[in-house]
Amino acid sequence: MLAFAPLAHAGDSAPLERGAAVTEPYALRELDRATFGLNRVIVGERINETPLTAAELFALPPMVPLRKALDAEFDRYIEQHKATLPDESIGVGSSFTFQLFDRAVLDSKDTRFVLAGAVNRMDRAFVDPAHCGEVRLLYRLIRTNQPETGEDAVSPRLPMTLNLVFKARGDEAARSGTPSCAEIAKRWLDTADIALTGSDLAAKLTAADGPLASIRPENILRIETNLQIAHAPKSAVRDFRTDYMMKVFDYHAETGTFEEAVMEDQIDRDRLLADADLARAFKSWLLQPDHLAELDRGTVLIPDQFLAKVAVAPTPVGFVNSALQPAFGLVQGEDTAHAPVFSDTDVVGALEQAAAKGVQLQNIRSVAGFERRLNDISCGGCHQTRGIGGFHFPGVDWMAAKPSNTTTVPGSPHFFGDQVRRRDILTAFSEGREPDFSRGFSSRPQERGSQELAGTVYNDGWGGHCYVKRPDEAENDKSFSPWTCASGLSCQASANTRMGMCFISTR
């Protein structure tokens, strides 16, 4: 079996991520020590016999622009904090109100990034059909001056990940058509019932006909970074808050470097609210029926001119609309300090126009549905929803004394809730059918014709996200009316909203 995660089950069924992710701790340990150590996947050769330290990694020519961009982003974050919260100190250490991520660990010989998981993302083939979507290797930053294994081991993990994104099928294979997208999908699905672990599993995965065969330096697309940039403990003057900073760096083969890029669908709220011409252009583009349908399906690709190069996602945000959400203020009624980009009339008119053209919308069926989609289509908004802090894949902690017995799950409720959809897409590929790339809201995964998620924490079970319905159906929002709870549970909403979570009924 590829996966081990005690909470990654729907009822008594097999792990949800079977056939779509590699989370077996002993295999990841072997892969990290050999084939998929960062010195091999980035530069294509063994630099030395020991793993790259963080200091050595960021000194590599391909990584120098990336580190420079991270430093610039830290400086901007600190400057903005001092301008907006001058009475709340910020710096490294517990003596500050906002405790910064210590950038010194990125220059340390006592830290490094270790492989924490491999994830199939062929569900993103709608972005790049020729390469059959993506495969991702996720690396977690750790301290190395603590024991990695044995009875005295403790988790040395630090709150930063590197996500190396590869083409699921390389350029040469795309030109020749071999292997096909169907064959690659089948390779992944066939791993669902493999009983191997450790080095045996690692060898099977990286064989010429294995699912990880395409993981080579020439197939790198980009690096995505996510780190906990600052943390503010609960105090007399503020609630608990943690900010996560995300950036994307595209690989440029001509220079051999990673350069910062705009983030897919990360709407640049500040520029849109400050530039009326840009806001009008964005509204005109997004409300076209075809683009509105893509937004509804979760397959929209917003033009670069409207996007940002960084996302800072505060957590927790709760269910109430607030300025902590990435698209707050873009829709009428949210923020009185700025003119909105979209009025209620704009959205209702666009929905009516789409319906008149025969466009069947699955998720956006109201102004509130449109508003929620604007948030969760973005990187920041998605990571704020059903994440573990600001991460959707914290990864496997194979450094633990007994990783096969660890209670730390590698993924968030959002990650596991999306596995049925991803596996359905792999199955369609393997059978030569056209995949359905649509997805639901981040809060509520699609069932995809399966009952695998029914009654679980992911979908209508205890802790599932839900909507409080009123007896009069006309008073219910059509975008969220299906968000019900399983028998014996009721939807309990937080203040000033009808969004909530499924808990045991008190009536």
Side-chain angles (χ1 to χ4, degrees), residues 101-118:
F101 180 93
D102 186 1
R103 281 182 279 178
V105 300
L106 302 182
D107 301 314
S108 173
K109 63 180 178 59
D110 293 323
T111 61
R112 75 180 184 97
F113 288 88
V114 299
L115 182 65

Side-chain angles (χ1 to χ4, degrees), residues 7-8 16 382-383 385-395 409-419 422 442 457-458:
L7 300 182
L16 285 169
C382 180
H383 276 253
T385 307
R386 308 208 75 183
I388 299 176
F391 299 101
H392 279 314
F393 196 89
V409 296
S412 70
H414 173 84
F415 170 80
F416 288 119
D418 199 39
Q419 295 306 301
R422 296 183 190 181
S442 296
V457 64
Y458 314 111

Side-chain angles (χ1 to χ4, degrees), residues 98-165:
F98 272 73
Q99 300 167 20
L100 271 177
F101 180 93
D102 186 1
R103 281 182 279 178
V105 300
L106 302 182
D107 301 314
S108 173
K109 63 180 178 59
D110 293 323
T111 61
R112 75 180 184 97
F113 288 88
V114 299
L115 182 65
V119 179
N120 179 288
R121 293 306 308 270
M122 290 180 71
D123 62 296
R124 287 183 43 76
F126 68 90
V127 178
D128 186 5
H131 294 108
C132 310
E134 303 165 354
V135 174
R136 303 183 177 192
L137 299 184
L138 292 108
Y139 294 82
R140 183 70 179 248
L141 182 62
I142 67 163
R143 297 187 187 276
T144 57
N145 54 359
Q146 300 180 39
E148 292 187 3
T149 59
E151 294 299 326
D152 296 327
V154 293
S155 177
R157 301 199 297 175
L158 295 167
M160 180 176 181
T161 61
L162 291 182
N163 178 11
L164 267 66
V165 183

Side-chain angles (χ1 to χ4, degrees), residues 260-293:
E260 67 176 336
V262 295
M263 303 175 68
E264 184 178 296
D265 293 340
Q266 181 65 39
I267 301 166
D268 194 330
R269 175 182 68 180
D270 293 342
R271 283 200 303 123
L272 287 173
L273 293 177
D275 187 332
D277 290 337
L278 188 68
R280 279 191 293 272
F282 180 55
K283 178 172 69 174
S284 175
W285 185 88
L286 189 60
L287 294 185
Q288 292 178 28
D290 289 348
H291 297 152
L292 183 62

Side-chain angles (χ1 to χ4, degrees), residues 283 287 331-332 340-353 367:
K283 178 172 69 174
L287 294 185
V331 178
Q332 181 181 348
V341 177
F342 303 96
S343 70
D344 287 0
T345 302
D346 292 332
V347 177
V348 171
L351 293 175
E352 291 175 347
Q353 184 181 13
V367 175

Side-chain angles (χ1 to χ4, degrees), residues 19-20 120-122 129-135 166-170 173-174 177-191 208-215 219 425-427 429-431:
N120 179 288
R121 293 306 308 270
M122 290 180 71
H131 294 108
C132 310
E134 303 165 354
V135 174
F166 295 79
K167 304 165 188 174
R169 180 169 69 172
T178 304
S180 65
C181 295
E183 175 58 29
I184 295 172
K186 189 174 184 299
R187 291 177 184 180
W188 278 88
L189 292 172
D190 285 349
T191 64
D209 60 350
L212 299 181
S214 66
I215 305 302
N219 290 335
I425 290 172
L426 287 174
T427 301
F429 268 123
S430 70
E431 296 175 351

